[in-house]
Amino acid sequence: METTQQYVMILLKILGTLGLLIFGMRMMSTALQKMAGPQLRHVLGRMTNNRFMGMLTGAGVTCAVQSSSATTVMTVSFVSAGLLTLGQAISVIMGANIGTTLTAWIMSLGYNVDLTNVVFPAFLVGILLIYHKRHRYKGDFLFGIAFMFFSLVLLSNAGKELDLEHNEAVMSFFSSFDTSSHFTILIFLAIGTVITCIVQSSAAVMAITILLCSTGVLPIYLGIALVMGENIGTTATANLAALGANNEARRAALAHLLFNVFGVIWITLVFYPFVDVVCRLVGYDPTAAGQHQRLPVVLAMFHTCFNVTNTALLIGFIPQMEKVVRWMLPDKKNDKDEPFKLLYIKANLIQTPEIAVMQAQKETALYGKRVQELFGLVRDMLNEHNSDKIEEIYQQIEHEEDLTDEVEISIARFLEQVSDGHLSDESKMKVRQMLREIGEIESIGDSCYRLARTIQRRNSQGRDFLDTQQQHLNQMIALCDNALNQMNMVLEKPLESQDLQMAYHYENQINALRDQLRAENAKAVDERQYDYALGTAYSDLIGELEKLGDYVINVVEARFGQM
């Protein structure tokens, strides 16, 4: 009874230590992402078509943030936002698989070296930095890495307390498996996959694998089979994150799964020779007894050799992988029937707030283009003379304007979620700018609806504008369209290449034409060239077009930071 209670307490200690390990790694990863947020955006956002550079970038970023899941979710987010192509994303994901091998080496170090003397000073320095606002992320990073190493020390001690190598029941259970059978390897591979999918942390499963191997309970072949399963299970995070994203993002996540599954398939075919080669590299003899202290290094070496070899085999076949995932996830035929569906941002893809800001900027730029298309319907409605056709366009404008309201709310909610994270001062300013931008863009949509309603009222009265009125209105519409073009260029392209004065130029032209046309309209009504009702509708359209121009310049000023 006492022995059972002892085992229960040790088991609880191990589970708690695993929780501490996951928390430490997540804290360290999050802190690094926040410290390097803008740099990560620039590194990944400026990725070229060079697959080798993409692979190296993926490996470097993963080594930095110590989480392949974080890198792959960021990459999927970039694909969703149109910042990376599918081919570029695949190369980054391949690199992430190599970068994540550093975690296994860190864990093997934690098992073989007593880091207690380093951990406690790290906690002290970390807490001092956390209370220093300017360096709080560095403090979070130190706390995270200290927690991670401390948990490894605790896990190693718990393994020694269990003393499983002298537990006949446990030893006989694991020794009952035939390590020379591929069927046994597949069973443990499946176990590693399922556990990693459930825990959502390959690091935690790797830690348990190292614990079991280092105590001499788990044979190296079965431990390596668990590691292979972890490689497949870790893809679940990105695939779950991509469920609500667009097709390209889902394809990137699927490519990650296929890449790892292919690697596991070929390594299974050459499993025993490959493992023997790895063992020889670190001087380990699987047939010799009393070497289980070296098993953490064997596991880390296998993890590295497997991922590096798999990447070397597949990096030349990225175009073919693209074709496969496009075939498995074809484009939806009805995508074009949903012009106002958000394309670049999904709440479930928020991983790093700094990156989410980029996604929101892309969606805002698309919002501007869609509202300009709505303005194009107003122009078509004004120049249409068929009463039924005018009514049809009016109904379309009414529907599209309702959708612009929904888009504004969706982007605003996304930005609110982003604001809940820790942002740099630059990104906080961008969020404020975008909130104003989308508000002004929505006002442009409202203005389009008011223009359409005025045209519809004129149509219901059976009245047409005179040729000169129609010509002047089209002249005003052309200026507004030019202003919208300039606005969308400012929203879409880097500010360094934009000229604020060009937007003011169009605004001044619109104001000048409004003053001219209003004066001419008052004179024409006085001279009985047309009646007051038609003159009022004409004046209302001119005034609304000028307001639309004001909303456009407000968007441009917000983008340039002139709040």
Side-chain angles (χ1 to χ4, degrees), residues 63-276:
C63 285
V65 301
Q66 275 301 293
S67 172
S68 61
S69 295
T71 304
T72 50
V73 170
M74 281 192 286
T75 303
V76 167
S77 301
F78 268 59
V79 175
S80 176
L83 301 169
L84 284 179
T85 66
L86 181 57
Q88 291 167 349
I90 292 173
S91 66
V92 173
I93 288 168
M94 287 180 174
N97 272 38
I98 294 175
T100 194
T101 62
L102 180 63
T103 304
W105 285 106
I106 291 173
M107 288 186 177
S108 69
L109 175 68
Y111 269 86
N112 290 293
V113 179
D114 186 359
L115 298 169
T116 310
N117 294 331
V118 179
V119 166
F120 292 109
F123 279 129
L124 175 61
V125 175
I127 197 66
L128 292 175
L129 290 174
I130 287 173
Y131 280 102
H132 195 293
K133 187 177 180 181
R134 185 178 175 184
H135 300 293
R136 65 183 182 278
Y137 298 141
K138 294 177 183 176
D140 286 342
F141 169 73
L142 268 179
F143 246 67
I145 200 167
F147 273 131
M148 184 180 73
F149 281 124
F150 188 50
S151 65
L152 291 174
V153 172
L154 292 177
L155 206 57
S156 179
N157 292 337
K160 292 172 183 176
E161 284 183 50
L162 278 174
D163 195 25
L164 292 178
E165 59 187 315
H166 295 110
N167 188 311
E168 292 184 9
V170 175
M171 292 297 291
S172 61
F173 172 75
F174 282 105
S175 62
S176 65
F177 292 98
D178 183 5
T179 57
S180 63
S181 168
H182 272 86
F183 180 70
T184 303
I185 300 304
L186 291 175
I187 289 175
F188 275 79
L189 190 154
I191 292 171
T193 301
V194 171
I195 294 175
T196 308
C197 286
I198 294 171
V199 177
Q200 286 288 294
S201 172
S202 59
V205 184
M206 175 67 81
I208 285 292
T209 306
I210 292 176
L211 171 66
L212 292 173
C213 286
S214 64
T215 56
V217 172
L218 189 66
I220 186 61
Y221 294 111
L222 301 186
I224 286 176
L226 287 176
V227 172
M228 289 161 56
E230 292 157 18
N231 262 46
I232 296 177
T234 194
T235 64
T237 305
N239 278 278
L240 287 171
L243 284 178
N246 59 28
N247 239 19
E248 284 294 278
R250 288 196 294 271
R251 287 166 179 161
L254 178 61
H256 186 206
L257 173 62
L258 293 180
F259 171 74
N260 283 3
V261 168
F262 175 82
V264 167
I265 289 172
W266 72 257
I267 200 68
T268 303
L269 296 176
V270 295
F271 182 75
Y272 294 101
F274 192 89
V275 173
D276 290 341

Side-chain angles (χ1 to χ4, degrees), residues 368 372 375 444 475-491 498-500 502-511 545-556:
Q372 187 173 10
F375 183 69
I444 295 173
Q475 187 179 354
M476 191 81 163
I477 282 177
L479 285 175
C480 288
D481 200 45
N482 288 338
L484 284 166
N485 276 328
Q486 182 63 26
M487 177 193 81
N488 285 323
M489 284 179 62
V490 168
L491 288 174
Q498 300 302 316
D499 183 8
L500 179 59
M502 183 60 71
Y504 284 132
H505 171 71
Y506 289 126
E507 166 72 0
N508 292 335
Q509 283 189 317
I510 291 170
N511 290 342
L545 286 167
E546 190 276 331
K547 283 183 184 177
L548 188 147
D550 289 341
Y551 298 137
V552 170
I553 199 66
N554 290 343
V555 173
V556 174

Side-chain angles (χ1 to χ4, degrees), residues 445-515:
D446 290 343
S447 192
C448 288
Y449 175 65
R450 288 192 291 270
L451 288 166
R453 194 169 55 191
T454 301
I455 298 170
Q456 168 67 4
R457 187 167 61 245
R458 181 216 62 184
N459 178 59
S460 63
Q461 296 169 353
R463 306 291 301 276
D464 278 330
F465 289 122
L466 301 181
D467 289 343
T468 53
Q469 289 178 310
Q470 192 80 19
Q471 190 176 22
H472 289 148
L473 286 171
N474 280 323
Q475 187 179 354
M476 191 81 163
I477 282 177
L479 285 175
C480 288
D481 200 45
N482 288 338
L484 284 166
N485 276 328
Q486 182 63 26
M487 177 193 81
N488 285 323
M489 284 179 62
V490 168
L491 288 174
E492 188 175 17
K493 296 181 179 178
L495 286 182
E496 305 83 55
S497 61
Q498 300 302 316
D499 183 8
L500 179 59
Q501 295 307 313
M502 183 60 71
Y504 284 132
H505 171 71
Y506 289 126
E507 166 72 0
N508 292 335
Q509 283 189 317
I510 291 170
N511 290 342
L513 185 58
R514 174 206 58 186
D515 294 341

